[in-house]
Every structure is written in structure tokens, then in C-alpha cells.
Amino acid sequence: MNRFQQEVDAAVDALLLQQVILYPTDTVWGLGCDAEAPPAVKQLYKLKGREAGKPSIVLVADLAMMKRYASEVPAELETMLANDTRPTTYILPAGKAVAPDLVAPDGTVGLRVAKDEFCFKVVRRLGHGLVSTSANKAGEPTPAVYAEVDAAIVRGADHVVNWRQDDDTRVAPSRVVRLGTGGQLEVVRE
């Protein structure tokens, strides 16, 4: 088995045990857990020092998985997903499968189809959404690369992914699109 697959398998094994992982996302280094495991989400928020009511996004494998976590998905979303050229987070009304702490006060959840190969493979094998929040204490700078992750975060994670730790590539934050009141998707952040 190659190193990449070993890293995917180790991350999924930790997630299945409802542990918090430190991993390279499609944008920055992040903290994650199973999006359907409320105790793991609480543990992640405690490590991050994140206040209640400030939800994190959920990485999904495809439109079908996105529909699992959203109670309403606009018809044009499939076309938009097919045409996405960069990571795009969609703010949609939350469905019942997502852990309650991931739902914003307005009843929405942020969902993004994982385009990064590592994230995609983890999500696909896990079979659930993967929480994705930057690997920093609340209010601290976001770590674009592993070398910028605070040592306390590294120590606090149950599992640290070794994949791409030496990669210094920086990626722009995700584009954010929200389902508007008229049922149309509106760009919130380009």
C-alpha cells in the first residue's frame, strides 16, 4: 500500500473513532471530525476555542452527499458544481443529518464538495461529511501551511495527518455562495 493511501486510511480510522484530525484541506490546514458525530464536533470546538453559534463548514464528496446535509438544494447547484474552478462553499438550509453545532443560528450549514484528492478520498471512504475549520485557536491567524500550525493545536489533535506537511503551496480561501430568499444562489465572497 502506498503512503497516500495509508494516510487516507489512518485519517478515516481516527474519524470512525470520533476523533479530531489535523489535516490539509483544499484551502488551508484544518481541524476535522465526522459531521454526524456531535461529541466529536464539541471536542473540535473545545480544541479550537470556538464559541457556540459559530459553525464550521462540512466537506462532502458529491451532490448526493450534499443533499444529505441540506434540506433544500436549488436546481442550478448541479451545474454550478460542475463548473466550479476553485473551492466553493455553499450556504444552504441545514438538514437533520448534520451535527447541531454545525448549524448556524439562521438554520443554515456551509457545504463544500472536496476537490482536493486527499480530502475527497477521506470523505468518500468515511461515507459522511467531514468538518473543516482552520487549524488555529479562535481569533488567531489561519495556517495556510503545516509549518504555521500552532504546537498546541498539533498536540491537541487526536490524529495528525502526515500528508503534505512539507508542501508550502498557498491557496486562496473558498468562494462563498448562499441560497437567497428568492431561491437563487448569490455570491457572498468571491
Side-chain angles (χ1 to χ4, degrees):
M1 184 183 312
N2 68 30
R3 181 174 168 249
F4 175 81
Q5 191 59 50
Q6 288 173 335
E7 290 295 327
V8 168
D9 291 347
V12 172
D13 289 347
L15 293 165
L16 289 170
L17 292 171
Q18 296 192 9
Q19 295 181 337
V20 174
I21 67 169
L22 171 62
Y23 70 107
T25 74
D26 48 356
T27 55
V28 298
W29 270 80
L31 291 169
C33 64
D34 183 336
E36 294 185 31
V41 174
K42 287 186 185 313
Q43 181 184 343
L44 183 150
Y45 280 16
K46 182 178 177 186
L47 173 59
K48 190 171 172 69
R50 186 173 215 137
E51 61 193 58
K54 215 172 165 200
S56 298
I57 70 159
V58 177
L59 296 179
V60 296
D62 50 31
L63 180 61
M65 191 178 281
M66 188 177 274
K67 288 178 178 180
R68 176 180 174 91
Y69 299 111
S71 63
E72 182 182 347
V73 176
E76 72 265 26
L77 186 58
E78 185 171 7
T79 302
M80 290 184 77
L81 290 172
N83 294 321
D84 278 343
T85 56
R86 64 184 263 215
T88 302
T89 300
Y90 292 90
I91 309 295
L92 302 170
K96 294 184 190 288
V98 69
D101 286 340
L102 298 172
V103 179
D106 67 356
T108 60
V109 63
L111 302 166
R112 183 165 75 229
V113 174
K115 303 277 185 174
D116 171 80
E117 184 182 13
F118 179 80
C119 294
F120 176 79
K121 297 270 186 183
V122 167
V123 171
R124 176 61 73 206
R125 181 156 172 257
L126 178 64
H128 288 176
L130 173 63
V131 174
S132 182
T133 184
S134 57
N136 59 294
K137 293 283 189 182
E140 296 294 319
T142 299
V145 297
Y146 179 77
E148 295 173 353
V149 179
D150 186 284
I153 295 288
V154 175
R155 285 190 307 274
D158 297 306
H159 175 76
V160 178
V161 171
N162 292 308
W163 189 250
R164 287 188 18 217
Q165 284 189 6
D166 57 350
D167 185 352
D168 61 358
T169 305
R170 293 175 184 273
V171 180
S174 72
R175 186 170 154 242
V176 179
V177 177
R178 172 182 283 281
L179 182 62
T181 53
Q184 299 297 312
L185 290 168
E186 305 165 349
V187 175
V188 175
R189 180 178 74 198
E190 193 61 58

